[in-house]
Short mmCIF file of all heavy atoms in Angstrom, two decimals:
data_model
loop_
_atom_site.label_atom_id
_atom_site.label_comp_id
_atom_site.label_asym_id
_atom_site.label_seq_id
_atom_site.Cartn_x
_atom_site.Cartn_y
_atom_site.Cartn_z
N THR A 48 -120.66 86.36 -197.00
CA THR A 48 -120.31 86.71 -198.37
C THR A 48 -118.92 86.16 -198.70
O THR A 48 -118.18 85.74 -197.84
CB THR A 48 -120.31 88.24 -198.57
OG1 THR A 48 -119.27 88.79 -197.82
CG2 THR A 48 -121.65 88.84 -198.21
N ARG A 49 -118.60 86.21 -199.96
CA ARG A 49 -117.31 85.68 -200.43
C ARG A 49 -116.15 86.46 -199.83
O ARG A 49 -115.16 85.88 -199.44
CB ARG A 49 -117.28 85.75 -201.95
CG ARG A 49 -116.02 85.17 -202.55
CD ARG A 49 -116.22 84.95 -204.05
NE ARG A 49 -115.12 84.73 -204.90
CZ ARG A 49 -114.08 83.97 -204.76
NH1 ARG A 49 -113.90 83.34 -203.68
NH2 ARG A 49 -113.16 83.81 -205.67
N SER A 50 -116.25 87.78 -199.74
CA SER A 50 -115.15 88.58 -199.19
C SER A 50 -114.93 88.28 -197.71
O SER A 50 -113.81 88.30 -197.23
CB SER A 50 -115.39 90.06 -199.41
OG SER A 50 -116.58 90.46 -198.75
N GLU A 51 -116.01 87.98 -196.98
CA GLU A 51 -115.85 87.62 -195.57
C GLU A 51 -115.12 86.30 -195.42
O GLU A 51 -114.31 86.11 -194.52
CB GLU A 51 -117.21 87.56 -194.88
CG GLU A 51 -117.85 88.92 -194.68
CD GLU A 51 -119.29 88.81 -194.20
OE1 GLU A 51 -119.89 87.72 -194.32
OE2 GLU A 51 -119.81 89.82 -193.72
N LYS A 52 -115.42 85.34 -196.32
CA LYS A 52 -114.74 84.05 -196.28
C LYS A 52 -113.24 84.21 -196.52
O LYS A 52 -112.42 83.57 -195.89
CB LYS A 52 -115.32 83.09 -197.31
CG LYS A 52 -116.58 82.41 -196.87
CD LYS A 52 -116.98 81.38 -197.90
CE LYS A 52 -118.20 80.62 -197.44
NZ LYS A 52 -118.61 79.61 -198.41
N LEU A 53 -112.89 85.05 -197.48
CA LEU A 53 -111.48 85.26 -197.81
C LEU A 53 -110.74 85.97 -196.68
O LEU A 53 -109.56 85.75 -196.49
CB LEU A 53 -111.34 86.04 -199.11
CG LEU A 53 -111.79 85.32 -200.37
CD1 LEU A 53 -111.67 86.24 -201.57
CD2 LEU A 53 -110.99 84.06 -200.59
N ALA A 54 -111.43 86.82 -195.94
CA ALA A 54 -110.78 87.56 -194.86
C ALA A 54 -110.83 86.81 -193.53
O ALA A 54 -110.17 87.21 -192.58
CB ALA A 54 -111.45 88.92 -194.70
N SER A 55 -111.59 85.72 -193.45
CA SER A 55 -111.70 84.98 -192.20
C SER A 55 -110.39 84.26 -191.90
O SER A 55 -109.57 84.05 -192.80
CB SER A 55 -112.84 83.97 -192.29
OG SER A 55 -112.50 82.93 -193.17
N PRO A 56 -110.19 83.86 -190.63
CA PRO A 56 -108.94 83.17 -190.27
C PRO A 56 -108.67 81.94 -191.10
O PRO A 56 -107.54 81.57 -191.31
CB PRO A 56 -109.14 82.81 -188.80
CG PRO A 56 -110.14 83.78 -188.31
CD PRO A 56 -111.03 84.09 -189.48
N GLY A 57 -109.68 81.29 -191.61
CA GLY A 57 -109.47 80.11 -192.43
C GLY A 57 -109.61 80.39 -193.91
O GLY A 57 -109.65 79.48 -194.71
N GLY A 58 -109.67 81.66 -194.31
CA GLY A 58 -109.89 82.02 -195.69
C GLY A 58 -108.65 81.89 -196.56
O GLY A 58 -107.55 81.58 -196.10
N ALA A 59 -108.87 82.12 -197.84
CA ALA A 59 -107.80 81.97 -198.82
C ALA A 59 -106.64 82.93 -198.56
O ALA A 59 -105.48 82.58 -198.76
CB ALA A 59 -108.35 82.17 -200.23
N ALA A 60 -106.93 84.15 -198.13
CA ALA A 60 -105.86 85.12 -197.87
C ALA A 60 -104.96 84.65 -196.73
O ALA A 60 -103.74 84.76 -196.79
CB ALA A 60 -106.45 86.49 -197.56
N ALA A 61 -105.57 84.09 -195.68
CA ALA A 61 -104.78 83.59 -194.55
C ALA A 61 -103.95 82.38 -194.97
O ALA A 61 -102.80 82.23 -194.55
CB ALA A 61 -105.70 83.24 -193.39
N GLN A 62 -104.52 81.53 -195.81
CA GLN A 62 -103.76 80.37 -196.28
C GLN A 62 -102.63 80.81 -197.21
O GLN A 62 -101.54 80.24 -197.16
CB GLN A 62 -104.70 79.38 -196.96
CG GLN A 62 -105.59 78.69 -195.94
CD GLN A 62 -106.62 77.78 -196.56
OE1 GLN A 62 -106.95 77.91 -197.73
NE2 GLN A 62 -107.13 76.87 -195.76
N ALA A 63 -102.86 81.82 -198.02
CA ALA A 63 -101.79 82.35 -198.87
C ALA A 63 -100.67 82.94 -198.02
O ALA A 63 -99.49 82.76 -198.34
CB ALA A 63 -102.36 83.40 -199.82
N ALA A 64 -101.03 83.60 -196.92
CA ALA A 64 -100.01 84.15 -196.02
C ALA A 64 -99.20 83.03 -195.38
O ALA A 64 -97.98 83.15 -195.20
CB ALA A 64 -100.67 85.02 -194.95
N GLN A 65 -99.86 81.93 -195.05
CA GLN A 65 -99.15 80.79 -194.46
C GLN A 65 -98.17 80.19 -195.46
O GLN A 65 -97.03 79.88 -195.12
CB GLN A 65 -100.16 79.74 -194.01
CG GLN A 65 -99.55 78.55 -193.31
CD GLN A 65 -100.60 77.59 -192.79
OE1 GLN A 65 -101.79 77.78 -193.00
NE2 GLN A 65 -100.16 76.57 -192.10
N ILE A 66 -98.60 80.07 -196.70
CA ILE A 66 -97.71 79.55 -197.75
C ILE A 66 -96.55 80.52 -197.99
O ILE A 66 -95.40 80.10 -198.17
CB ILE A 66 -98.51 79.29 -199.04
CG1 ILE A 66 -99.50 78.14 -198.80
CG2 ILE A 66 -97.60 78.98 -200.21
CD1 ILE A 66 -100.52 77.97 -199.89
N LEU A 67 -96.84 81.80 -197.96
CA LEU A 67 -95.78 82.82 -198.12
C LEU A 67 -94.76 82.72 -196.98
O LEU A 67 -93.55 82.79 -197.23
CB LEU A 67 -96.39 84.22 -198.16
CG LEU A 67 -95.40 85.37 -198.28
CD1 LEU A 67 -94.63 85.30 -199.59
CD2 LEU A 67 -96.12 86.70 -198.17
N ALA A 68 -95.23 82.55 -195.75
CA ALA A 68 -94.31 82.41 -194.61
C ALA A 68 -93.41 81.19 -194.79
O ALA A 68 -92.20 81.25 -194.53
CB ALA A 68 -95.11 82.31 -193.31
N ALA A 69 -93.98 80.09 -195.27
CA ALA A 69 -93.19 78.89 -195.51
C ALA A 69 -92.15 79.14 -196.61
O ALA A 69 -90.99 78.76 -196.49
CB ALA A 69 -94.10 77.72 -195.88
N GLY A 70 -92.58 79.81 -197.67
CA GLY A 70 -91.65 80.12 -198.76
C GLY A 70 -90.53 81.04 -198.34
O GLY A 70 -89.37 80.86 -198.73
N LEU A 71 -90.85 82.02 -197.51
CA LEU A 71 -89.81 82.93 -197.02
C LEU A 71 -88.83 82.21 -196.11
O LEU A 71 -87.63 82.50 -196.12
CB LEU A 71 -90.45 84.12 -196.30
CG LEU A 71 -91.20 85.10 -197.20
CD1 LEU A 71 -91.89 86.17 -196.36
CD2 LEU A 71 -90.24 85.74 -198.20
N GLY A 72 -89.33 81.27 -195.32
CA GLY A 72 -88.44 80.46 -194.49
C GLY A 72 -87.48 79.64 -195.34
O GLY A 72 -86.29 79.56 -195.06
N GLY A 73 -88.02 79.04 -196.39
CA GLY A 73 -87.17 78.27 -197.31
C GLY A 73 -86.14 79.15 -198.00
O GLY A 73 -84.97 78.77 -198.12
N LEU A 74 -86.56 80.33 -198.42
CA LEU A 74 -85.63 81.26 -199.07
C LEU A 74 -84.53 81.69 -198.11
O LEU A 74 -83.35 81.74 -198.47
CB LEU A 74 -86.39 82.47 -199.60
CG LEU A 74 -85.54 83.55 -200.26
CD1 LEU A 74 -84.84 83.01 -201.50
CD2 LEU A 74 -86.39 84.76 -200.61
N ALA A 75 -84.90 81.98 -196.86
CA ALA A 75 -83.90 82.41 -195.87
C ALA A 75 -82.86 81.31 -195.65
O ALA A 75 -81.66 81.58 -195.63
CB ALA A 75 -84.59 82.77 -194.56
N PHE A 76 -83.32 80.07 -195.50
CA PHE A 76 -82.38 78.97 -195.30
C PHE A 76 -81.53 78.75 -196.54
O PHE A 76 -80.35 78.43 -196.43
CB PHE A 76 -83.14 77.68 -194.93
CG PHE A 76 -83.45 77.54 -193.46
CD1 PHE A 76 -83.78 78.64 -192.68
CD2 PHE A 76 -83.41 76.30 -192.85
CE1 PHE A 76 -84.07 78.50 -191.33
CE2 PHE A 76 -83.68 76.15 -191.51
CZ PHE A 76 -84.01 77.26 -190.74
N HIS A 77 -82.12 78.93 -197.72
CA HIS A 77 -81.36 78.79 -198.97
C HIS A 77 -80.25 79.84 -199.05
O HIS A 77 -79.11 79.53 -199.40
CB HIS A 77 -82.31 78.92 -200.17
CG HIS A 77 -81.62 78.95 -201.48
ND1 HIS A 77 -81.08 77.82 -202.07
CD2 HIS A 77 -81.38 79.97 -202.35
CE1 HIS A 77 -80.53 78.15 -203.22
NE2 HIS A 77 -80.71 79.46 -203.42
N LEU A 78 -80.59 81.08 -198.72
CA LEU A 78 -79.60 82.16 -198.77
C LEU A 78 -78.49 81.96 -197.73
O LEU A 78 -77.36 82.41 -197.94
CB LEU A 78 -80.29 83.52 -198.57
CG LEU A 78 -81.23 83.94 -199.70
CD1 LEU A 78 -81.95 85.24 -199.34
CD2 LEU A 78 -80.49 84.07 -201.02
N LEU A 79 -78.83 81.29 -196.64
CA LEU A 79 -77.81 80.99 -195.62
C LEU A 79 -76.96 79.77 -196.00
O LEU A 79 -75.99 79.47 -195.32
CB LEU A 79 -78.48 80.75 -194.26
CG LEU A 79 -79.11 81.97 -193.61
CD1 LEU A 79 -79.93 81.56 -192.39
CD2 LEU A 79 -78.03 82.98 -193.22
N GLY A 80 -77.34 79.09 -197.06
CA GLY A 80 -76.58 77.94 -197.53
C GLY A 80 -76.77 76.69 -196.68
O GLY A 80 -75.91 75.82 -196.67
N LEU A 81 -77.89 76.59 -195.99
CA LEU A 81 -78.14 75.44 -195.12
C LEU A 81 -78.62 74.25 -195.95
O LEU A 81 -79.30 74.42 -196.96
CB LEU A 81 -79.18 75.80 -194.06
CG LEU A 81 -78.75 76.91 -193.09
CD1 LEU A 81 -79.90 77.32 -192.20
CD2 LEU A 81 -77.57 76.44 -192.25
N PRO A 82 -78.27 73.03 -195.51
CA PRO A 82 -78.74 71.85 -196.26
C PRO A 82 -80.25 71.67 -196.12
O PRO A 82 -80.83 72.04 -195.09
CB PRO A 82 -77.98 70.69 -195.59
CG PRO A 82 -77.57 71.20 -194.26
CD PRO A 82 -77.43 72.69 -194.38
N ALA A 83 -80.86 71.10 -197.13
CA ALA A 83 -82.32 70.89 -197.18
C ALA A 83 -83.05 72.19 -196.86
O ALA A 83 -84.05 72.20 -196.15
CB ALA A 83 -82.74 69.78 -196.23
N ALA A 84 -82.56 73.27 -197.43
CA ALA A 84 -83.05 74.61 -197.09
C ALA A 84 -84.53 74.78 -197.36
O ALA A 84 -85.26 75.31 -196.51
CB ALA A 84 -82.26 75.65 -197.87
N TRP A 85 -85.00 74.34 -198.50
CA TRP A 85 -86.39 74.59 -198.86
C TRP A 85 -87.34 73.75 -198.03
O TRP A 85 -88.49 74.15 -197.81
CB TRP A 85 -86.62 74.37 -200.35
CG TRP A 85 -85.95 75.45 -201.14
CD1 TRP A 85 -84.78 75.36 -201.82
CD2 TRP A 85 -86.39 76.80 -201.28
NE1 TRP A 85 -84.48 76.56 -202.38
CE2 TRP A 85 -85.45 77.47 -202.07
CE3 TRP A 85 -87.49 77.51 -200.81
CZ2 TRP A 85 -85.56 78.81 -202.42
CZ3 TRP A 85 -87.61 78.85 -201.15
CH2 TRP A 85 -86.66 79.49 -201.95
N LEU A 86 -86.88 72.61 -197.54
CA LEU A 86 -87.73 71.78 -196.70
C LEU A 86 -87.72 72.26 -195.25
O LEU A 86 -88.76 72.58 -194.67
CB LEU A 86 -87.26 70.32 -196.77
CG LEU A 86 -88.05 69.33 -195.95
CD1 LEU A 86 -89.49 69.25 -196.43
CD2 LEU A 86 -87.40 67.96 -196.03
N SER A 87 -86.53 72.35 -194.67
CA SER A 87 -86.44 72.74 -193.26
C SER A 87 -86.80 74.21 -193.04
O SER A 87 -87.43 74.56 -192.04
CB SER A 87 -85.04 72.44 -192.71
OG SER A 87 -84.05 73.03 -193.51
N GLY A 88 -86.43 75.07 -193.96
CA GLY A 88 -86.78 76.48 -193.82
C GLY A 88 -88.28 76.70 -193.93
O GLY A 88 -88.86 77.51 -193.19
N ALA A 89 -88.92 75.96 -194.83
CA ALA A 89 -90.37 76.09 -194.98
C ALA A 89 -91.08 75.59 -193.73
O ALA A 89 -92.06 76.20 -193.28
CB ALA A 89 -90.85 75.30 -196.19
N VAL A 90 -90.59 74.51 -193.15
CA VAL A 90 -91.20 74.00 -191.92
C VAL A 90 -91.07 75.03 -190.80
O VAL A 90 -92.04 75.34 -190.11
CB VAL A 90 -90.56 72.65 -191.50
CG1 VAL A 90 -90.97 72.26 -190.10
CG2 VAL A 90 -90.93 71.57 -192.48
N LEU A 91 -89.88 75.58 -190.64
CA LEU A 91 -89.68 76.57 -189.59
C LEU A 91 -90.52 77.82 -189.84
O LEU A 91 -91.13 78.37 -188.91
CB LEU A 91 -88.20 76.95 -189.47
CG LEU A 91 -87.88 77.92 -188.34
CD1 LEU A 91 -88.22 77.30 -186.99
CD2 LEU A 91 -86.42 78.32 -188.38
N GLY A 92 -90.59 78.26 -191.09
CA GLY A 92 -91.41 79.44 -191.42
C GLY A 92 -92.88 79.20 -191.09
O GLY A 92 -93.55 80.07 -190.52
N ALA A 93 -93.40 78.02 -191.43
CA ALA A 93 -94.80 77.70 -191.14
C ALA A 93 -95.05 77.59 -189.64
O ALA A 93 -96.08 78.05 -189.14
CB ALA A 93 -95.19 76.41 -191.84
N VAL A 94 -94.10 77.01 -188.92
CA VAL A 94 -94.25 76.89 -187.46
C VAL A 94 -94.25 78.28 -186.82
O VAL A 94 -95.09 78.58 -185.96
CB VAL A 94 -93.15 76.01 -186.86
CG1 VAL A 94 -93.10 76.13 -185.35
CG2 VAL A 94 -93.37 74.56 -187.26
N LEU A 95 -93.32 79.12 -187.21
CA LEU A 95 -93.27 80.47 -186.65
C LEU A 95 -94.53 81.24 -186.97
O LEU A 95 -95.05 81.99 -186.13
CB LEU A 95 -92.03 81.21 -187.15
CG LEU A 95 -90.69 80.67 -186.63
CD1 LEU A 95 -89.52 81.42 -187.26
CD2 LEU A 95 -90.62 80.75 -185.12
N TRP A 96 -95.05 81.08 -188.19
CA TRP A 96 -96.30 81.74 -188.56
C TRP A 96 -97.44 81.24 -187.68
O TRP A 96 -98.27 82.01 -187.22
CB TRP A 96 -96.61 81.51 -190.04
CG TRP A 96 -97.91 82.11 -190.46
CD1 TRP A 96 -99.04 81.44 -190.76
CD2 TRP A 96 -98.22 83.49 -190.58
NE1 TRP A 96 -100.04 82.32 -191.10
CE2 TRP A 96 -99.56 83.60 -190.98
CE3 TRP A 96 -97.51 84.66 -190.39
CZ2 TRP A 96 -100.20 84.81 -191.21
CZ3 TRP A 96 -98.14 85.88 -190.61
CH2 TRP A 96 -99.46 85.94 -191.01
N GLY A 97 -97.46 79.94 -187.44
CA GLY A 97 -98.49 79.36 -186.59
C GLY A 97 -98.44 79.89 -185.17
O GLY A 97 -99.47 80.08 -184.53
N LEU A 98 -97.24 80.16 -184.69
CA LEU A 98 -97.08 80.67 -183.33
C LEU A 98 -97.58 82.11 -183.18
O LEU A 98 -97.83 82.55 -182.07
CB LEU A 98 -95.62 80.57 -182.88
CG LEU A 98 -95.11 79.14 -182.67
CD1 LEU A 98 -93.61 79.16 -182.37
CD2 LEU A 98 -95.87 78.44 -181.56
N THR A 99 -97.73 82.81 -184.28
CA THR A 99 -98.22 84.19 -184.20
C THR A 99 -99.71 84.25 -183.86
O THR A 99 -100.20 85.27 -183.43
CB THR A 99 -98.01 84.95 -185.53
OG1 THR A 99 -98.84 84.35 -186.54
CG2 THR A 99 -96.56 84.96 -185.96
N GLY A 100 -100.41 83.16 -184.07
CA GLY A 100 -101.84 83.13 -183.81
C GLY A 100 -102.68 83.51 -185.01
O GLY A 100 -103.90 83.49 -184.96
N PHE A 101 -102.05 83.86 -186.12
CA PHE A 101 -102.78 84.24 -187.33
C PHE A 101 -102.97 83.08 -188.28
O PHE A 101 -103.58 83.23 -189.32
CB PHE A 101 -102.04 85.36 -188.08
CG PHE A 101 -102.04 86.66 -187.34
CD1 PHE A 101 -100.89 87.14 -186.75
CD2 PHE A 101 -103.20 87.40 -187.22
CE1 PHE A 101 -100.88 88.33 -186.07
CE2 PHE A 101 -103.21 88.60 -186.53
CZ PHE A 101 -102.04 89.06 -185.96
N ALA A 102 -102.43 81.93 -187.95
CA ALA A 102 -102.49 80.79 -188.86
C ALA A 102 -103.92 80.32 -189.06
O ALA A 102 -104.70 80.26 -188.12
CB ALA A 102 -101.63 79.65 -188.33
N PRO A 103 -104.26 80.00 -190.28
CA PRO A 103 -105.62 79.52 -190.56
C PRO A 103 -105.77 78.05 -190.20
O PRO A 103 -104.84 77.42 -189.73
CB PRO A 103 -105.72 79.70 -192.07
CG PRO A 103 -104.33 79.46 -192.56
CD PRO A 103 -103.44 80.07 -191.48
N ARG A 104 -106.95 77.53 -190.48
CA ARG A 104 -107.14 76.09 -190.33
C ARG A 104 -106.23 75.38 -191.32
O ARG A 104 -105.60 76.02 -192.16
CB ARG A 104 -108.60 75.75 -190.55
CG ARG A 104 -109.07 76.07 -191.93
CD ARG A 104 -110.53 75.72 -192.11
NE ARG A 104 -110.86 75.91 -193.50
CZ ARG A 104 -111.86 76.64 -193.93
NH1 ARG A 104 -112.65 77.22 -193.07
NH2 ARG A 104 -112.08 76.79 -195.20
N PRO A 105 -106.13 74.06 -191.26
CA PRO A 105 -105.21 73.34 -192.15
C PRO A 105 -105.42 73.66 -193.63
O PRO A 105 -106.52 73.98 -194.06
CB PRO A 105 -105.52 71.88 -191.86
CG PRO A 105 -106.09 71.87 -190.49
CD PRO A 105 -106.84 73.17 -190.36
N ILE A 106 -104.35 73.55 -194.38
CA ILE A 106 -104.38 73.75 -195.82
C ILE A 106 -105.32 72.69 -196.43
O ILE A 106 -105.32 71.55 -195.97
CB ILE A 106 -102.96 73.61 -196.40
CG1 ILE A 106 -102.02 74.68 -195.84
CG2 ILE A 106 -102.95 73.64 -197.92
CD1 ILE A 106 -102.33 76.08 -196.26
N PRO A 107 -106.11 73.03 -197.45
CA PRO A 107 -106.98 72.04 -198.08
C PRO A 107 -106.21 70.80 -198.55
O PRO A 107 -105.06 70.92 -199.01
CB PRO A 107 -107.58 72.78 -199.27
CG PRO A 107 -107.47 74.22 -198.91
CD PRO A 107 -106.23 74.34 -198.06
N ARG A 108 -106.81 69.64 -198.42
CA ARG A 108 -106.14 68.37 -198.71
C ARG A 108 -105.52 68.32 -200.11
O ARG A 108 -104.37 67.88 -200.25
CB ARG A 108 -107.13 67.23 -198.50
CG ARG A 108 -106.51 65.87 -198.60
CD ARG A 108 -105.59 65.67 -197.45
NE ARG A 108 -104.90 64.40 -197.63
CZ ARG A 108 -103.97 63.99 -196.82
NH1 ARG A 108 -103.62 64.71 -195.79
NH2 ARG A 108 -103.38 62.86 -197.02
N PRO A 109 -106.20 68.74 -201.19
CA PRO A 109 -105.56 68.67 -202.50
C PRO A 109 -104.28 69.52 -202.59
O PRO A 109 -103.30 69.11 -203.21
CB PRO A 109 -106.62 69.20 -203.46
CG PRO A 109 -107.91 68.98 -202.76
CD PRO A 109 -107.60 69.15 -201.30
N LEU A 110 -104.28 70.67 -201.94
CA LEU A 110 -103.09 71.51 -201.95
C LEU A 110 -101.98 70.88 -201.12
O LEU A 110 -100.81 70.90 -201.51
CB LEU A 110 -103.44 72.91 -201.42
CG LEU A 110 -102.33 73.95 -201.45
CD1 LEU A 110 -101.77 74.12 -202.86
CD2 LEU A 110 -102.83 75.28 -200.92
N ALA A 111 -102.33 70.29 -199.98
CA ALA A 111 -101.34 69.61 -199.15
C ALA A 111 -100.74 68.42 -199.90
O ALA A 111 -99.52 68.19 -199.85
CB ALA A 111 -101.97 69.15 -197.84
N ASP A 112 -101.58 67.67 -200.62
CA ASP A 112 -101.08 66.54 -201.41
C ASP A 112 -100.11 67.00 -202.50
O ASP A 112 -99.07 66.39 -202.72
CB ASP A 112 -102.24 65.77 -202.04
CG ASP A 112 -103.04 64.97 -201.02
OD1 ASP A 112 -102.54 64.76 -199.89
OD2 ASP A 112 -104.17 64.56 -201.36
N ALA A 113 -100.45 68.10 -203.17
CA ALA A 113 -99.57 68.63 -204.21
C ALA A 113 -98.24 69.09 -203.62
O ALA A 113 -97.18 68.86 -204.20
CB ALA A 113 -100.25 69.79 -204.93
N ALA A 114 -98.28 69.70 -202.44
CA ALA A 114 -97.05 70.15 -201.78
C ALA A 114 -96.18 68.96 -201.39
O ALA A 114 -94.95 69.00 -201.54
CB ALA A 114 -97.39 70.98 -200.55
N MET A 115 -96.82 67.88 -200.90
CA MET A 115 -96.05 66.68 -200.55
C MET A 115 -95.41 66.04 -201.78
O MET A 115 -94.27 65.59 -201.74
CB MET A 115 -96.95 65.67 -199.84
CG MET A 115 -97.40 66.11 -198.47
SD MET A 115 -96.03 66.31 -197.31
CE MET A 115 -95.71 64.62 -196.93
N LEU A 116 -96.14 66.03 -202.89
CA LEU A 116 -95.61 65.49 -204.13
C LEU A 116 -94.40 66.31 -204.59
O LEU A 116 -93.36 65.75 -204.97
CB LEU A 116 -96.70 65.48 -205.21
CG LEU A 116 -96.29 64.96 -206.58
CD1 LEU A 116 -95.94 63.49 -206.50
CD2 LEU A 116 -97.38 65.20 -207.59
N LEU A 117 -94.53 67.61 -204.54
CA LEU A 117 -93.43 68.49 -204.94
C LEU A 117 -92.22 68.32 -204.01
O LEU A 117 -91.08 68.24 -204.48
CB LEU A 117 -93.89 69.95 -204.94
CG LEU A 117 -92.87 70.99 -205.36
CD1 LEU A 117 -92.42 70.76 -206.79
CD2 LEU A 117 -93.43 72.39 -205.20
N ALA A 118 -92.46 68.24 -202.71
CA ALA A 118 -91.37 68.06 -201.76
C ALA A 118 -90.66 66.72 -201.99
O ALA A 118 -89.42 66.64 -201.98
CB ALA A 118 -91.89 68.14 -200.32
N GLY A 119 -91.43 65.67 -202.21
CA GLY A 119 -90.83 64.35 -202.46
C GLY A 119 -90.02 64.33 -203.74
O GLY A 119 -88.91 63.76 -203.78
N ALA A 120 -90.54 64.94 -204.80
CA ALA A 120 -89.82 64.98 -206.07
C ALA A 120 -88.54 65.80 -205.94
O ALA A 120 -87.49 65.43 -206.48
CB ALA A 120 -90.71 65.57 -207.16
N THR A 121 -88.61 66.87 -205.18
CA THR A 121 -87.43 67.72 -204.98
C THR A 121 -86.35 66.96 -204.20
O THR A 121 -85.17 67.01 -204.55
CB THR A 121 -87.82 69.01 -204.23
OG1 THR A 121 -88.81 69.69 -204.99
CG2 THR A 121 -86.62 69.92 -204.04
N MET A 122 -86.76 66.27 -203.15
CA MET A 122 -85.78 65.50 -202.37
C MET A 122 -85.21 64.37 -203.20
O MET A 122 -84.00 64.09 -203.16
CB MET A 122 -86.43 64.95 -201.10
CG MET A 122 -86.68 66.00 -200.04
SD MET A 122 -87.25 65.31 -198.51
CE MET A 122 -88.97 65.04 -198.88
N GLY A 123 -86.06 63.69 -203.97
CA GLY A 123 -85.59 62.59 -204.80
C GLY A 123 -84.62 63.05 -205.88
O GLY A 123 -83.67 62.35 -206.21
N ALA A 124 -84.82 64.24 -206.41
CA ALA A 124 -83.92 64.77 -207.44
C ALA A 124 -82.54 65.09 -206.87
O ALA A 124 -81.56 65.11 -207.60
CB ALA A 124 -84.53 66.02 -208.05
N GLY A 125 -82.48 65.29 -205.56
CA GLY A 125 -81.19 65.60 -204.94
C GLY A 125 -80.35 64.38 -204.60
O GLY A 125 -79.20 64.50 -204.22
N VAL A 126 -80.93 63.20 -204.75
CA VAL A 126 -80.20 61.97 -204.45
C VAL A 126 -79.38 61.56 -205.66
O VAL A 126 -79.93 61.32 -206.73
CB VAL A 126 -81.18 60.83 -204.05
CG1 VAL A 126 -80.44 59.54 -203.81
CG2 VAL A 126 -81.98 61.23 -202.82
N THR A 127 -78.09 61.51 -205.47
CA THR A 127 -77.18 61.11 -206.55
C THR A 127 -76.23 60.06 -206.00
O THR A 127 -76.09 59.90 -204.79
CB THR A 127 -76.36 62.32 -207.04
OG1 THR A 127 -75.55 62.79 -205.95
CG2 THR A 127 -77.26 63.45 -207.54
N PRO A 128 -75.54 59.32 -206.87
CA PRO A 128 -74.57 58.33 -206.38
C PRO A 128 -73.47 58.97 -205.52
O PRO A 128 -72.94 58.34 -204.62
CB PRO A 128 -73.98 57.76 -207.67
CG PRO A 128 -75.04 57.99 -208.70
CD PRO A 128 -75.70 59.27 -208.31
N GLU A 129 -73.15 60.23 -205.78
CA GLU A 129 -72.11 60.91 -205.02
C GLU A 129 -72.59 61.35 -203.64
O GLU A 129 -71.79 61.57 -202.74
CB GLU A 129 -71.60 62.15 -205.77
CG GLU A 129 -70.95 61.86 -207.09
CD GLU A 129 -71.94 61.71 -208.24
OE1 GLU A 129 -73.03 62.31 -208.16
OE2 GLU A 129 -71.64 60.98 -209.18
N ALA A 130 -73.90 61.49 -203.48
CA ALA A 130 -74.44 62.00 -202.21
C ALA A 130 -74.43 60.97 -201.11
O ALA A 130 -74.43 59.84 -201.21
CB ALA A 130 -75.87 62.50 -202.42
#
């Protein structure tokens, strides 16, 4: 059933939790004032979530592509002549 799919290790709820863990990692690094906080913090948050054993199968390709586009645009916006 649909509810079983959402509750399964590869379901939407598990993927949302993985995205939340990445976001919390980015927020933590941002609050600490670390450089590239949203990128490096999100990576660390996702890795730590994966180490818990609750991580789902990979994020669906369209969502991964959108995340890469957003990450690239964010990094590109931070490049200035002064940097």
Side-chain angles (χ1 to χ4, degrees):
T48 67
R49 183 166 165 44
S50 61
E51 289 171 344
K52 279 186 176 180
L53 292 177
S55 71
Q62 289 175 339
Q65 184 175 3
I66 294 168
L67 178 63
L71 290 175
L74 178 63
F76 274 37
H77 174 75
L78 293 175
L79 291 171
L81 297 173
W85 289 103
L86 180 63
S87 53
V90 168
L91 183 62
V94 167
L95 292 176
W96 177 252
L98 291 174
T99 66
F101 291 108
R104 62 180 187 233
I106 298 292
R108 187 68 185 176
L110 184 56
D112 288 344
M115 291 297 283
L116 179 66
L117 181 62
T121 302
M122 286 187 280
V126 177
T127 63
E129 297 84 27

